[in-house]
Amino acid sequence: MEDMDGVTESAATANPELAQIEAVVSRAAQALLAAQRDDGHFIFELEADVSIPAEYILFKHYLGEPAAAGLEAKIAAYLRRKQAAHDGWPLFTDGAFNISSSVKAYFALKAAGDPPEADHMRRARAAILAYGGAANTNVFTRALLALFGALPWRGVPVMPVEIMLLPRWFPFHVTKISYWSRTVLTPLMVVIALKPRARNPRNVTIEELFVAAPDAVRHWPGGPHQKFPWTALFAGVDKVLRWSEPYFPKTLRRRAIGKAVAFVEERLNGEDGLGAIFPAMTYSALMFDALGYQRQDPRMVQVLSAIDNLLVVREDEAYCQPCVSPVWDTGLACHALMEAGEEAIMPRVRAALSWLEPLQVTDVAGDWAAQKPHVRPGGWAFQYANAYYPDIDDTAVVAMAMDRAAGHGPEYKDAVARAREWIEGLQSADGGWGAFDSDNDREYLNYIPFADHGALPDPPTADVTARCLSMLGQRGETPASNPPVARGVEYLLRTQEKDGSWFGRWGMNYTYGTWSVLCAFNAVKRDPCSADVRQAVAWLKSVQNTDGGWGEGGESYAMDYAGYRPAPSTPSQTAWALLGLMAAGMVDDIAVTSGIRHLARTQGEDGFWKEERFTATGFPRVFFLRYHGYSKYFPLWAMARYRNLKEGNRQPLLMGM
């Protein structure tokens, strides 16, 4: 007799350890299924550092409409809990002190009513001053402070809204920067042009966070990646623009503001918000407010609703998410469940895929079409709705899930074919794939003063490229049969690190990148005995922790990174390493056995795994993410994959992931 997860009683009886693994898989699968929404989709919380909830409080104070007392108190409680032993606020769990997040958290707590003489505020203030004070914050933080009158506007690099009128051939153009930069900077440039002042009904100030009076500061910090001679060149441009901007023709400014407003309104995206990301939403609201839009204006109503939809409110705490991840969570959960459940779980998987299918964007040529105007749309966004900005990574994951499910019931032939066409069409000239655009790789733009976060463009990356190759490989394509696959493989071979790993742009970090590439190489039938695969396997085995798991911190994105830095094991990173090793054929290796035992040993009573550390990335070195779903579906996926391969009667691993 076969149970719901597809393992025969005789197989489990013959191998006691396999029986234990089967129990782990069954508990995890049942827990994941219990989290499925009634309409079939999955969504888990997406948490960033304290900057987003702090900005939410300050955004409300800017508008002169502080959040309801109960909600504000809950967000303040969350901010207090996140204060670290170094007395500031880091960018990720156990991370170093960060000046920008600390200033915003302090400012928000003070706005929420925490007295400056309170112990936690006193300690935070001392730490901030020890790191140079609020003048040392990043550009976006200084822009926020300027809106509150906490520092002069000359502390913010010039970004004249007239940029909106530049021709496409110009070195800087909004189509040449990433989608996230485009949707944030467009309304922000209008705000900077108008220079409104926060209403700030409680008249909260933070002059105590400055070492020197803001008016006396003449040199503002840049990003660690910004080096000579680019810095000198763009600093000169900034000075020229700052001097000349007051003389720009007023008619030109009105035209530019009109074009920026039209850009935002066309992409307003209902109650999912501009770009479906918090910073773009808030700046679009600030733009409308500065232009005199009333609160009852439908556009303001939509934006404010979209922002509030990001809130996570619990009994004692609340925070604001940077965005939501339903398509990503649903696609990955489908893969884990198909690995775990076989036929008995397929009705639940089909319900999830049926929810995903109509979300494919086939009727809107988004901003990506500026570079690829002849490619038909066919991608999925990361969020519930974001038609102008479908996500290449998500599209590959969903297409692979649909392709895998096609043999169990209804086929998704047309959806998968359209997704494949779109993905192949967005391959960049160097053979790689970026997250949202093609050939969005003008790295010189990261040297402009406003780009101190170092993520203005959206260049190809190993992890997204690997996912696209995995999708094509799962569809039977190889370098010999498919030129885009051949170019993609060459891109990955060029970008392999000297130690054998690959950089993980969207997941932390080399563990994520190496897992992604090993899965892709398996899918396109690259020889597992090739030197690049062997070196990658050796690297993964060399960074395994003594407890059998794998872990990697945000420090791996540091500019001075010189090799793996030990970090505590996490369920998601352990699962990635295991899936990568198994894709390379290392099923019987002691490293895999130890990793599987680690996951079996650390499963919680609820069927899931506990993961407090951040394992994902928004912007390396600047913005990190904690996907609450990662510890729910990735360990299940790895455990089920191991069980399936160890049964001995399965075909070689044919899935792209």
Side-chain angles (χ1 to χ4, degrees), residues 421-482:
E421 177 186 341
W422 183 71
I423 285 176
E424 286 190 334
L426 263 69
Q427 187 175 28
S428 292
D430 64 2
W433 278 268
F436 299 93
D437 283 299
S438 175
D439 296 308
N440 195 293
D441 55 0
R442 295 164 180 83
E443 291 292 340
Y444 65 85
L445 294 175
N446 277 329
Y447 289 93
I448 70 172
F450 221 98
D452 64 348
H453 61 308
L456 206 61
D458 176 17
T461 62
D463 46 347
V464 179
T465 299
R467 209 85 65 232
C468 295
L469 290 179
S470 288
M471 185 274 293
L472 293 170
Q474 186 174 305
R475 296 286 293 165
E477 301 296 341
T478 66
S481 67
N482 186 292

Side-chain angles (χ1 to χ4, degrees), residues 489-505:
V489 169
E490 287 301 316
Y491 170 86
L492 292 178
L493 293 176
R494 287 197 311 273
T495 55
Q496 187 173 23
E497 304 290 333
K498 291 180 180 179
D499 62 10
S501 65
W502 277 271
F503 181 82
R505 165 63 179 83

Side-chain angles (χ1 to χ4, degrees), residues 281-553:
M281 297 179 200
T282 55
Y283 280 119
S284 62
L286 296 185
M287 180 190 77
F288 288 144
D289 179 73
L291 290 168
Y293 288 46
Q294 300 301 306
R295 289 295 179 274
Q296 63 269 27
D297 186 289
R299 290 158 291 191
M300 280 294 283
V301 171
Q302 287 178 24
V303 175
L304 295 175
S305 177
I307 292 169
D308 283 343
N309 286 342
L310 296 175
L311 290 170
V312 174
V313 182
R314 300 196 180 97
E315 184 176 349
D316 300 319
E317 289 185 350
Y319 74 94
C320 187
Q321 302 171 102
C323 63
V324 293
S325 54
V327 171
W328 186 241
D329 284 331
T330 302
L332 293 170
C334 284
H335 281 280
L337 289 170
M338 282 189 281
E339 195 72 42
E342 299 296 336
E343 293 295 341
I345 285 180
M346 282 310 299
R348 302 288 291 275
V349 172
R350 285 196 289 271
L353 296 177
S354 294
W355 179 84
L356 284 168
E357 191 170 17
L359 297 184
Q360 187 175 25
V361 181
T362 59
D363 58 346
V364 176
D367 286 4
W368 53 267
Q371 187 68 27
K372 297 287 187 176
H374 304 299
V375 176
R376 290 198 305 167
W380 276 268
F382 179 80
Q383 305 90 347
Y384 285 109
N386 199 9
Y388 278 86
Y389 305 107
D391 187 307
I392 294 172
D393 209 353
D394 285 64
T395 301
V397 166
V398 172
M400 280 189 279
M402 288 183 168
D403 178 70
R404 183 172 184 176
H408 297 266
E411 293 191 359
Y412 306 93
K413 180 179 178 181
D414 292 342
V416 173
R418 189 72 174 263
R420 171 182 170 169
E421 177 186 341
W422 183 71
I423 285 176
E424 286 190 334
L426 263 69
Q427 187 175 28
S428 292
D430 64 2
W433 278 268
F436 299 93
D437 283 299
S438 175
D439 296 308
N440 195 293
D441 55 0
R442 295 164 180 83
E443 291 292 340
Y444 65 85
L445 294 175
N446 277 329
Y447 289 93
I448 70 172
F450 221 98
D452 64 348
H453 61 308
L456 206 61
D458 176 17
T461 62
D463 46 347
V464 179
T465 299
R467 209 85 65 232
C468 295
L469 290 179
S470 288
M471 185 274 293
L472 293 170
Q474 186 174 305
R475 296 286 293 165
E477 301 296 341
T478 66
S481 67
N482 186 292
V485 171
R487 292 197 300 272
V489 169
E490 287 301 316
Y491 170 86
L492 292 178
L493 293 176
R494 287 197 311 273
T495 55
Q496 187 173 23
E497 304 290 333
K498 291 180 180 179
D499 62 10
S501 65
W502 277 271
F503 181 82
R505 165 63 179 83
W506 295 99
M508 206 176 287
N509 171 351
Y510 296 94
T511 309
Y512 183 88
T514 305
W515 154 64
S516 301
V517 174
L518 287 176
C519 287
F521 279 176
N522 173 71
V524 301
K525 299 178 174 57
R526 186 165 181 79
D527 186 355
C529 294
S530 62
D532 43 272
V533 173
R534 291 200 310 270
Q535 193 180 9
V537 166
W539 181 82
L540 278 175
K541 292 168 68 173
S542 73
V543 300
Q544 187 174 21
N545 286 330
T546 55
D547 63 5
W550 278 263
E552 195 173 352

Side-chain angles (χ1 to χ4, degrees), residues 3-6 21-36 42 44 333-342 344-346 348-349 603-609 631-637 639-640 643:
D3 68 14
M4 65 167 287
D5 292 308
I21 292 168
E22 177 56 34
V24 170
V25 169
S26 180
R27 284 196 301 272
Q30 288 301 313
L32 185 56
L33 287 169
Q36 189 173 21
F42 293 84
F44 301 101
C334 284
H335 281 280
L337 289 170
M338 282 189 281
E339 195 72 42
E342 299 296 336
I345 285 180
M346 282 310 299
R348 302 288 291 275
V349 172
Q603 186 183 32
E605 291 296 324
D606 62 356
F608 292 138
W609 284 260
S631 60
K632 296 174 172 60
Y633 39 73
F634 278 121
L636 164 62
W637 194 342
M639 295 291 287
R643 175 205 67 185

Side-chain angles (χ1 to χ4, degrees), residues 29-104:
Q30 288 301 313
L32 185 56
L33 287 169
Q36 189 173 21
R37 300 296 178 95
D38 290 342
D39 61 3
H41 86 284
F42 293 84
I43 184 169
F44 301 101
E45 293 174 34
L46 178 55
E47 188 176 6
D49 66 88
V50 298
S51 294
I52 300 296
E55 287 176 20
Y56 179 86
I57 288 178
L58 294 171
F59 168 72
K60 291 292 188 177
H61 282 257
Y62 174 95
L63 295 177
E65 305 164 4
L71 174 60
E72 190 169 79
K74 288 182 178 183
I75 298 176
Y78 173 87
L79 295 177
R80 290 187 212 104
R81 181 173 64 83
K82 291 292 184 177
Q83 189 174 17
H86 49 54
D87 296 330
W89 284 265
L91 296 179
F92 48 83
T93 305
D94 298 332
F97 176 92
N98 181 266
I99 187 70
S100 296
S101 61
S102 297
V103 167
K104 282 186 277 194

